[in-house]
């Protein structure tokens, strides 16, 4: 089969490192960050560090938005110049207009749009990233777009996307939790643990007490059933964590589960602006036959 059969496109919110994107020739469509100072393209014009500093130092409005249909159309047409078909693996439609805007782009392309397939991952960050890598591997192996979509549909419920935040300040600021929850978390040193479930962000649980101890408990609970984990790959993805904190978490992951590969990645500005500093997630794929 031709290696040029299916091209893969993702969004910057997949938080994959550049070497993986380059290895599989994965093109990226960037989300936007709107602030009082203007609108910036994530990863190209603004970083997680920029937006976290802006917001922690009293910056005003900060809102992440999906790429417009025109951005998707441009990416699709570029990719179609080299491939027979294109698959976009997109962030969950339950938290973003990305899929909707991408499908508008497909409609605007007329007959050529029939060669473009938009897949709703129902995940974000490197939970989405796991699925992007799978799609790229299948494409490289010569699978058709329809077969890739079918494989991703089977995989979707097997991805574990969770993360812990230091507090609920940024979650409240962006309308993800009410102010009453923010005040409760602040008063009692409560650290929310969130997960992607059925395409939406929901509260999975809480950790109470000093943050470092809470962070390590989250790792141990997340990885406690090692027999139910596909140990091929794990992502440690973080926003605004110190080097010391990242190294601490990495060691704890290594002590809990012997993964073949561990990728330590920074969250995009889009992801970081909604969760705040000292947020991280341990994202992996469940073993076959194990439901979430």
């Amino acid at each position: 089969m031709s290696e040029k059969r299916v091209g893969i496109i993702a969004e910057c919110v997949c938080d994959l490192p550049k070497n993986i994107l380059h290895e599989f020739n994965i093109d990226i469509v960037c989300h936007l960050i709107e602030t009082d100072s203007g609108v910036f393209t994530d990863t190209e014009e603004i970083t997680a560090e920029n937006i976290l500093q802006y917001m922690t130092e009293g910056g005003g409005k900060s809102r992440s938005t999906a790429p417009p249909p025109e951005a998707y159309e441009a990416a699709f047409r570029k990719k179609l110049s080299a491939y027979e078909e294109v698959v976009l693996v997109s962030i969950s439609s339950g938290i973003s207009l990305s899929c909707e805007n991408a499908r508008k782009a497909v409609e605007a392309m007329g007959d050529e749009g029939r060669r473009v397939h938009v897949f709703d991952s129902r995940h974000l960050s490197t939970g989405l990233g796991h699925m992007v890598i799978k799609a790229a591997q299948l494409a490289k192996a010569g699978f058709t777009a329809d077969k890739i979509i079918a494989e991703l549909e089977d995989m979707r419920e097997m991805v574990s996307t969770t993360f812990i935040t230091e507090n609920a300040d940024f979650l409240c600021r962006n309308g993800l939790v009410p102010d009453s929850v923010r005040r409760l978390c602040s008063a009692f040193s409560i650290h929310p643990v969130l997960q992607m479930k059925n395409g939406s962000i929901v509260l999975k649980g809480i950790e109470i007490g000093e943050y470092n101890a809470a962070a390590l408990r989250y790792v141990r609970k997340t990885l406690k059933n090692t027999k139910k984990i596909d140990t091929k790959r794990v992502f440690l993805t973080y926003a605004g964590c110190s080097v010391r904190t990242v190294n601490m978490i990495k060691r704890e992951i290594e002590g809990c589960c012997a993964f073949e590969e561990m990728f330590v990645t920074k969250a995009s500005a889009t992801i970081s602006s909604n969760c705040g500093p000292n947020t991280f997630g341990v994202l992996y794929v469940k073993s076959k036959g194990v439901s979430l």
Side-chain angles (χ1 to χ4, degrees), residues 10 14 16-28 132:
C14 70
L16 289 176
K18 290 183 179 180
N19 64 307
I20 290 180
L21 299 176
H22 178 74
E23 177 184 353
F24 291 105
N25 194 26
I26 300 166
D27 287 355
I28 291 295
V132 173

Side-chain angles (χ1 to χ4, degrees), residues 53-86:
Q53 181 179 4
Y54 168 78
M55 296 181 74
T56 55
E57 293 181 355
K61 177 178 62 177
S62 173
R63 186 169 69 95
S64 58
T65 60
E70 295 78 13
Y72 285 109
E73 183 174 350
F76 295 156
R77 291 190 182 280
K78 176 185 175 183
K79 204 69 170 176
L80 285 173
S81 67
Y83 292 87
E84 296 174 17
E85 295 181 281
V86 166

Side-chain angles (χ1 to χ4, degrees), residues 185-206:
C185 290
S186 178
F188 295 98
S189 296
I190 294 174
H191 314 288
V193 177
L194 305 171
Q195 70 171 341
M196 290 299 297
K197 187 173 183 179
N198 299 323
S200 297
I201 299 174
V202 299
L203 181 67
K204 179 179 176 63
I206 60 172

